[in-house]
Amino acid sequence: MLLLIYSSICIFIFKVFRIPLNKWTVPTAILGGVVMLTGMLLVMNYNHPYTRAGSQYYISTPIIPNIRGRVVEVADIKPNQLVKKGDVLFKIDPTPYQAAVDLRKAELADAESSIKTIDSDYQSAKARVEEAKLTMARCK
């Protein structure tokens, strides 16, 4: 369509201004058309919004969870039933996540016991420093 419009404009210009058809005018008109069409296509492609999801067509809407895991239960939702935000659609097996939580709790308990040990060592060292200070004060 663009080529037809451009060629009709060129024919109109050649007729109105009585431009002779020779080895310079015709290739110049063709080259001008190629340059203009290429420029238009480049500008159109550069300014065209793009998204992968926009080019995909789904009969149904895909629902993707934020985490990975094995689905253990699917809610009983009928086709074309209205689903609201926050409704439970499926449940994912909590075992790997519970294991990670238990591991972190064990690490926390270990760190707390380490803190108690370090605190008792600190108190012991502090008492020895005080004892050393008293010994030094007696020697003077």
Side-chain angles (χ1 to χ4, degrees):
M1 186 70 174
L2 291 174
L3 289 175
L4 289 175
I5 293 170
Y6 180 74
S7 60
S8 63
I9 290 171
C10 285
I11 290 171
F12 176 76
I13 290 174
F14 272 77
K15 296 280 183 187
V16 169
F17 295 108
R18 295 190 182 121
I19 299 173
L21 300 175
N22 59 30
K23 68 178 183 176
W24 297 109
T25 57
V26 174
T28 302
I30 293 171
L31 184 62
V34 169
V35 167
M36 284 179 21
L37 288 175
T38 304
M40 282 176 52
L41 289 174
L42 287 174
V43 168
M44 286 169 34
N45 284 333
Y46 180 75
N47 292 323
H48 187 275
Y50 174 76
T51 177
R52 280 186 342 152
S55 63
Q56 296 175 351
Y57 176 76
Y58 294 103
I59 294 175
S60 62
T61 303
I63 298 173
I64 302 168
N66 291 336
I67 58 173
R68 293 179 184 220
R70 187 170 53 99
V71 174
V72 293
E73 182 182 332
V74 178
D76 186 29
I77 298 176
K78 307 291 183 221
N80 297 324
Q81 179 181 348
L82 182 62
V83 179
K84 296 179 184 150
K85 182 178 179 180
D87 287 351
V88 176
L89 302 177
F90 49 85
K91 291 185 180 177
I92 295 178
D93 184 18
T95 306
Y97 303 106
Q98 188 61 46
V101 169
D102 293 342
L103 177 66
R104 297 297 182 245
K105 284 182 180 179
E107 289 175 355
L108 178 63
D110 184 42
E112 286 174 347
S113 68
S114 295
I115 288 174
K116 290 178 184 176
T117 304
I118 290 171
D119 189 43
S120 66
D121 290 346
Y122 171 71
Q123 294 298 332
S124 169
K126 192 174 169 183
R128 280 182 286 174
V129 167
E130 291 298 323
E131 184 180 324
K133 284 182 182 179
L134 290 174
T135 305
M136 286 177 54
R138 285 185 211 150
C139 291
K140 286 186 181 180

